[in-house]
Amino acid sequence: MEKAYDFRKKLLQVHKPDIRDFSRSKQENEFFLNSEVSISIKKTACEVVKTAVYDFVDFLKVSMGITASVTVENGNADIKVCLASDADVDLGDYAVYRGFSVVVNSDGICVYGHDARGAAQGLYYIEDVMSMESAPAIALGTVYKKPMFSPQMVHSGYGLDQFPDEYLARIAHEGRDAILVFTKDVDKTPDGFLDFNLLIHRAAKYGLDVYAYSYLLSEKHPEDPNAEAHYESTYGKLFKECPGLKGVTLVGESVEFPSKDPNISPGRMHRTEVDNIPTGKWTAGWWPCYDYPMWINLVKKIIRKYNPDADIVFWTYNWGRQPKEARIKLLETLPTDITVQATFEMVEQRSYGDTKAHIADYSLSFEGPGQYFKSEAEVAERRGIRLYSMTNTGGLTWDFGVVPYEPMPYQWIKRFESMRKAYDDYNLCGIMENHHYGFYPSFISMLGKWSFWEPREDMNEILERILKGYFGRENYEKVDEGLRCISEAITYYTPTDADQYGAFRIGPAYPFNIERDIKIPSDPKAHFGNRIIHHNYFEEADNLDTPVAIRIPYEIESLTKMLECMKNGVRILEGTVNRNKNLEELLNLVRYMTCCVQTGFNAKKWYILKVKMRSATTREELSDIYDKMEELLKAEMENAKKAITYVEEDSRLGWEPSMLYIGDAWHIEWKLRHSNYILEHEIGKFKKCLEI
């Protein structure tokens, strides 16, 4: 049983200990490291290279049981690491940012980086190969690599805006090159003080840039007389005090300003009211206002006074559902020296019988790209605007709110293939790989790392090597078979607001209400806590003929298939033998996710019973409904009890950086107590009334 936050110990463990298979001997056509290894660097090696080299020394010791020493310009060393320019090596097409080559012959290994970050990635590449082989072995020959995407931005999965050095090292090992920090002011995040310049300095030695994710208030229209002074006091102050910031991400809901667009209402956050009467209009954060280019140009002017190369990332997430004409009109007027970021799969419509619903938020159920992304990517490509996308390829989406990653590799491969095509078709060049649920290294993030290099490799072959390295060669076939079932399962997921912000957000801790909207308790220290959870499954309806209710039977049918696939995946994984720690953790995760799917399934059936209860006209009908509600709630309680075992085994389950622990054992037990209240005092009361 793990204690709260024990998962952080795993994130701080840069190298897995004792993964070497000592029965694995040297094979033909490969170089095999012996017990004593020498590594040579140049006298002029910078901190990034030195950090990576000493990290590799640690890898050899911890993971492979090999002692290594670092020397300077030693021509006889087993491994030589330097910049290609220092060795007069021509990398050709790979002489680009983070590009590298690894040359292996019978005498040793040479790592040539186009730059320091490329040299570091070359060493991490060798670590990956040796980890997959479970041996200090690498094939003879020359390998060239360069990244397809930069930046590859991630939020912290350790804790909101928390980046210990070891965790930064993990991010760098996974091939990512930038981190995001929620920014309310200089050195101020939603959780309080953070020394931005120190973080920039610490991240730099691992080859990581720092982006500010703006929470800065935008209280002036750019035409206001004192607008420039206002934004000088926010964005200007930030980049003046923190000139090492790589850039800033601007998203509507976080930076909305007092636009003059006639399509919106004044105010902040979502739709507004005047004299308690809804206006029916959105606020600036949710509409592609005509004066956003004016606002961006002012902010850009101020930022680039202090950092001429700052990356200004304008993310169109919040108006993906708005009319295409309005969105495109805005993109046609944006300055071309900024970056546009469009979410990859959102807003696409899914069919449920004769009805349709949008994908509410980030979802793996559809690999993408969606029509919203393509419509904006076409404009960006034609106008020569740099294009990024929110892809969630760190391994997690909002399909499951309190898990570390989604182990659906074959669906991720579809996403990765679509991104490769977007790279070719639209010049997609940078990606944001998660939101505040954070980056958790896994075999999925490793699959993404290897899939986003050129030259491109077959992803199925990459996955095979990764699975053998993570879960054992003897278990590969079973693990692969099980993961195919689990990958199919996500295609039956129902990515609606009710699911992504309801039962699937917190899993089996989700309460089933009847009369009262009882909210789940949350940690007062949490950034969002329970504010991003819908505690009632849907807005209430009096009958089943509403547009929302009509699709529920089809959603239940879809989740029935999802449950079947998840259970089959669990059964197959349980059939593996000699499970290592990685495989035990995977099996525990999938069992817990199966419980989450069961809760989502039960929540839909509960909703139907509630609506029927409100429209029932006879005592017999009501009595039958109450019996079914009681039976369903008891079944859900048994499902929740099973989930307690799984969250106790893995302290990351039930936790999310912005909500903190919201689906852990305590919260599931709270849900059980709440369910007993429903059984005894609400369903029980209704039944007694029928007996009168």
Side-chain angles (χ1 to χ4, degrees):
M1 181 186 296
E2 288 194 350
K3 295 181 180 178
Y5 293 103
D6 273 356
F7 71 88
R8 287 179 170 169
K9 299 175 185 176
K10 303 172 192 174
L11 292 178
L12 296 178
Q13 187 179 62
V14 182
H15 301 117
K16 290 187 179 296
D18 304 321
I19 64 172
R20 180 174 176 179
D21 177 3
F22 282 92
S23 67
R24 163 78 156 81
S25 58
K26 182 180 182 298
Q27 298 177 8
E28 190 177 356
N29 295 322
E30 73 178 13
F31 181 75
F32 202 89
L33 293 176
N34 297 312
S35 56
E36 297 287 338
V37 173
S38 59
I39 305 173
S40 174
I41 61 175
K42 292 286 185 179
K43 288 180 181 179
T44 54
C46 68
E47 186 176 26
V48 172
V49 173
K50 289 179 180 177
T51 299
V53 166
Y54 282 102
D55 173 277
F56 190 70
V57 170
D58 186 69
F59 164 76
L60 292 176
K61 179 181 179 180
V62 172
S63 300
M64 294 292 154
I66 290 175
T67 300
S69 60
V70 179
T71 61
V72 176
E73 301 192 8
N74 176 5
N76 297 317
D78 301 296
I79 302 172
K80 303 180 185 69
V81 183
C82 66
L83 301 187
S85 57
D86 290 339
D88 199 25
V89 170
D90 182 8
L91 294 180
D93 292 340
Y94 299 87
V96 297
Y97 169 66
R98 289 202 300 159
F100 65 89
S101 72
V102 175
V103 181
V104 186
N105 55 39
S106 57
D107 296 325
I109 303 170
C110 292
V111 177
Y112 301 111
H114 170 69
D115 49 23
R117 294 185 178 189
Q121 289 300 320
L123 285 168
Y124 301 152
Y125 166 83
I126 297 171
E127 285 189 24
D128 290 350
V129 171
M130 292 182 174
S131 296
M132 293 175 196
E133 290 295 323
S134 301
I138 187 168
L140 302 180
T142 300
V143 170
Y144 292 92
K145 297 288 182 184
K146 64 180 179 180
M148 295 178 67
F149 303 113
S150 180
Q152 291 182 238
M153 300 181 279
V154 297
H155 281 286
S156 175
Y158 184 90
L160 206 64
D161 300 315
Q162 297 180 39
F163 293 95
D165 278 10
E166 296 91 338
Y167 180 58
L168 291 172
R170 294 291 302 275
I171 293 170
H173 277 70
E174 297 284 326
R176 278 64 186 181
D177 68 337
I179 59 175
L180 287 151
V181 176
F182 291 109
T183 303
K184 301 182 76 173
D185 198 349
V186 174
D187 295 343
K188 185 177 181 181
T189 75
D191 272 2
F193 175 80
L194 175 65
D195 189 330
F196 287 1
N197 286 319
L198 180 59
L199 176 61
I200 292 166
H201 171 73
R202 290 193 297 109
K205 71 179 181 180
Y206 298 104
L208 301 173
D209 294 318
V210 180
Y211 278 76
Y213 184 104
S214 180
Y215 273 0
L216 300 170
L217 293 179
S218 301
E219 296 181 335
K220 300 291 181 181
H221 189 276
E223 291 180 327
D224 289 352
N226 57 352
E228 187 162 344
H230 169 69
Y231 291 106
E232 179 68 43
S233 71
T234 55
Y235 290 95
K237 177 185 175 186
L238 176 65
F239 278 82
K240 180 181 180 181
E241 296 297 324
C242 307
L245 284 171
K246 180 68 173 179
V248 61
T249 298
L250 309 168
V251 61
E253 66 185 74
S254 299
V255 301
E256 58 183 351
F257 70 107
S259 169
K260 297 179 181 179
D261 194 303
N263 294 290
I264 68 162
S265 290
R268 285 182 60 81
M269 301 300 285
H270 298 278
R271 291 188 171 106
T272 58
E273 297 179 349
V274 175
D275 297 329
N276 296 326
I277 301 173
T279 65
K281 294 182 178 181
W282 297 90
T283 56
W286 275 261
W287 184 265
C289 303
Y290 79 89
D291 40 7
Y292 262 114
M294 193 184 306
W295 180 83
I296 289 171
N297 275 320
L298 177 56
V299 170
K300 179 187 69 175
K301 169 188 170 183
I302 290 170
I303 289 175
R304 288 192 174 153
K305 180 166 54 174
Y306 303 104
N307 182 345
D309 298 320
D311 190 7
I312 314 296
V313 183
F314 186 54
W315 185 10
T316 62
Y317 164 87
N318 287 103
W319 43 82
R321 296 191 193 187
Q322 305 303 351
K324 177 181 177 181
E325 296 75 16
R327 293 187 291 102
I328 299 308
K329 186 176 180 180
L330 170 58
L331 265 68
E332 294 285 6
T333 58
L334 287 175
T336 57
D337 60 346
I338 65 165
T339 301
V340 166
Q341 179 168 293
T343 307
F344 201 67
E345 80 286 1
M346 273 180 56
V347 189
E348 199 73 1
Q349 285 196 329
R350 299 284 297 269
S351 296
Y352 301 97
D354 297 328
T355 66
K356 291 185 177 181
H358 287 103
I359 293 176
D361 221 325
Y362 317 124
S363 179
L364 184 58
S365 61
F366 169 55
E367 60 269 22
Q371 294 303 312
Y372 144 59
F373 171 84
K374 288 192 284 189
S375 67
E376 300 196 352
E378 288 168 359
V379 177
E381 197 275 335
R382 174 170 50 79
R383 296 195 64 221
I385 301 175
R386 188 166 52 242
L387 176 66
Y388 297 169
S389 183
M390 166 55 154
T391 57
N392 291 291
T393 38
L396 184 60
T397 68
W398 269 135
D399 293 331
F400 293 86
V402 287
V403 300
Y405 67 96
E406 291 168 87
M408 287 90 172
Y410 288 98
Q411 186 69 357
W412 283 115
I413 284 175
K414 294 179 186 176
R415 169 74 52 90
F416 299 162
E417 290 283 11
S418 293
M419 289 169 60
R420 283 180 174 180
K421 190 171 188 306
Y423 174 89
D424 295 332
D425 294 347
Y426 305 117
N427 197 28
L428 175 66
C429 62
I431 52 180
M432 180 176 170
E433 299 205 68
N434 54 47
H435 211 312
H436 51 71
Y437 34 82
F439 180 72
Y440 195 97
S442 69
F443 75 96
I444 297 297
S445 60
M446 184 60 68
L447 175 62
K449 172 187 175 178
W450 277 66
S451 298
F452 298 151
W453 272 335
E454 290 192 303
R456 303 175 195 182
E457 295 185 53
D458 182 277
M459 295 186 203
N460 290 286
E461 294 178 2
I462 296 171
L463 178 62
E464 179 177 344
R465 296 198 299 270
I466 291 173
L467 294 183
K468 287 178 178 177
Y470 265 74
F471 305 114
R473 294 176 180 275
E474 69 278 10
N475 286 315
Y476 165 68
E477 291 185 1
K478 281 285 187 182
V479 169
D480 183 67
E481 182 185 0
L483 291 176
R484 286 181 185 273
C485 290
I486 298 161
S487 297
E488 181 185 354
I490 196 64
T491 65
Y492 300 117
Y493 179 82
T494 52
T496 64
D497 273 317
D499 290 316
Q500 291 188 318
Y501 288 82
F504 282 92
R505 178 144 297 193
I506 59 173
Y510 186 72
F512 286 18
N513 297 323
I514 296 183
E515 288 188 319
R516 299 174 59 197
D517 180 10
I518 299 178
K519 294 185 176 183
I520 190 166
S522 63
D523 191 324
K525 299 188 296 296
H527 176 46
F528 285 127
N530 61 21
R531 291 189 292 118
I532 53 174
I533 303 165
H534 295 174
H535 296 84
N536 265 331
Y537 189 71
F538 281 110
E539 293 181 2
E540 297 304 325
D542 293 328
N543 60 70
L544 295 176
D545 295 325
T546 60
V548 168
I550 286 173
R551 72 173 190 251
I552 299 299
Y554 299 101
E555 293 182 9
I556 289 175
E557 180 182 350
S558 191
L559 285 192
T560 299
K561 296 175 183 176
M562 186 177 186
L563 264 176
E564 181 181 354
C565 289
M566 293 295 292
K567 290 177 179 178
N568 282 341
V570 169
R571 176 181 52 78
I572 293 166
L573 291 177
E574 287 176 340
T576 54
V577 295
N578 300 321
R579 293 195 287 265
N580 63 17
K581 187 175 181 181
N582 287 342
L583 187 44
E584 290 287 3
E585 289 178 354
L586 172 64
L587 181 54
N588 189 72
L589 169 62
V590 176
R591 285 167 172 161
Y592 172 75
M593 293 174 73
T594 304
C595 291
C596 293
V597 179
Q598 186 69 61
T599 296
F601 175 86
N602 291 342
K604 293 180 188 294
K605 299 191 78 172
W606 183 260
Y607 168 76
I608 287 179
L609 289 172
K610 283 176 67 175
V611 175
K612 286 182 176 180
M613 178 187 70
R614 289 183 172 85
S615 60
T617 57
T618 67
R619 290 193 175 200
E620 290 76 12
E621 189 178 1
L622 274 173
S623 179
D624 180 60
I625 291 169
Y626 294 147
D627 286 344
K628 289 178 179 176
M629 293 182 84
E630 183 175 14
E631 180 182 359
L632 179 61
L633 189 55
K634 287 180 177 178
E636 171 57 23
M637 291 172 72
E638 289 304 311
N639 178 57
K641 289 175 184 176
K642 279 199 302 184
I644 290 175
T645 302
Y646 309 138
V647 298
E648 287 180 338
E649 284 296 315
D650 185 347
S651 59
R652 177 54 180 80
L653 302 180
W655 180 88
E656 189 272 342
S658 74
M659 297 186 289
L660 301 184
Y661 280 107
I662 196 77
D664 58 337
W666 187 92
H667 283 88
I668 296 175
E669 288 164 354
W670 172 89
K671 180 249 189 72
L672 293 172
R673 297 198 307 273
H674 172 257
S675 299
N676 279 323
Y677 164 80
I678 297 292
L679 288 172
E680 295 172 12
H681 297 282
E682 294 196 352
I683 293 178
K685 179 186 70 176
F686 295 148
K687 283 189 169 185
K688 286 181 181 178
C689 289
L690 291 176
E691 295 171 0
I692 297 174

